[in-house]
Amino acid sequence: GVGSVARREKSFVKPSPPGWPRISSSVFYDDAAKAIDWLCKAFEFEVILKVENDDGRIEHSELRYGDGLIMVGQAERDGERAWAKSPRSLGGANTQSLFAYVDDIEAHCAHARAAGAKIITEPKTSDYGEDYWTDRSYQAEDPEGHRWWFAQRLRNPRTDAR
């Protein structure tokens, strides 16, 4: 089985601003505008906000998937945000992978594949035992090398789990 999981009983954190999840990620692309279009097509994100400069460069964007939100930005080669890189510019290196729950894992994977996502791990079921959960998930890579995990919850943990 999987080891014990420590759960915090109370949270002393104030609510996040309306429309924002507690935590969100920023992902950077060499071509942020193209990436936004692709993410909407392949993974069914919805653009909430897209701020472009006069040259069409993405200055800020917010994409929603269900109650989750990511920001997509332009990778930088130099200057103040030279730390913002696309995995493609780093030889495929990733320091994170993004994770989202979907309603129908098979349909989502088929849709992503048809839109050009590279499926790294085909949909598979992971059962962590009756005290935990069972998910069916797959891993995909977008055109610039970001790794994405999508999952569908098949069974929740037992309610009397410690």
Side-chain angles (χ1 to χ4, degrees):
V2 177
S4 65
V5 176
R7 297 180 201 262
R8 193 170 179 185
E9 294 298 319
K10 291 185 178 181
S11 175
F12 299 100
V13 179
K14 294 178 184 177
S16 56
W20 276 82
R22 173 60 56 198
I23 189 167
S24 181
S25 185
S26 294
V27 288
F28 298 98
Y29 290 86
D30 291 334
D31 188 338
K34 187 175 179 181
I36 289 168
D37 292 342
W38 190 88
L39 291 167
C40 292
K41 178 183 173 188
F43 296 154
E44 301 176 316
F45 278 88
E46 174 188 2
V47 175
I48 302 301
L49 177 66
K50 184 164 62 171
V51 179
E52 299 172 286
N53 69 12
D54 293 338
D55 298 325
R57 179 183 184 279
I58 302 297
E59 295 297 324
H60 178 72
S61 73
E62 299 170 11
L63 280 64
R64 184 166 305 283
Y65 186 88
D67 59 359
L69 183 133
I70 63 169
M71 294 168 281
V72 173
Q74 189 68 39
E76 301 287 339
R77 287 182 176 43
D78 53 26
E80 187 177 306
R81 290 187 11 176
W83 54 267
K85 304 286 186 201
S86 164
R88 181 168 64 186
S89 70
L90 299 171
N94 273 263
T95 62
Q96 66 176 354
S97 65
L98 294 110
F99 180 93
Y101 276 105
V102 299
D103 296 329
D104 183 336
I105 197 72
E106 304 299 334
H108 193 275
C109 183
H111 183 85
R113 185 189 320 271
K118 179 179 177 184
I119 305 304
I120 304 298
T121 305
E122 293 291 334
K124 68 176 185 174
T125 300
S126 298
D127 186 341
Y128 296 99
E130 64 182 53
D131 286 344
Y132 300 97
W133 60 88
T134 300
D135 282 350
R136 186 156 176 81
S137 63
Y138 78 95
Q139 183 184 27
E141 185 178 272
D142 70 28
E144 289 202 24
H146 290 281
R147 296 287 180 103
W148 297 80
W149 280 98
F150 295 96
Q152 178 182 349
R153 177 60 47 97
L154 301 179
R155 183 185 47 77
N156 287 317
R158 286 188 349 200
T159 56
D160 64 343
R162 291 180 191 70

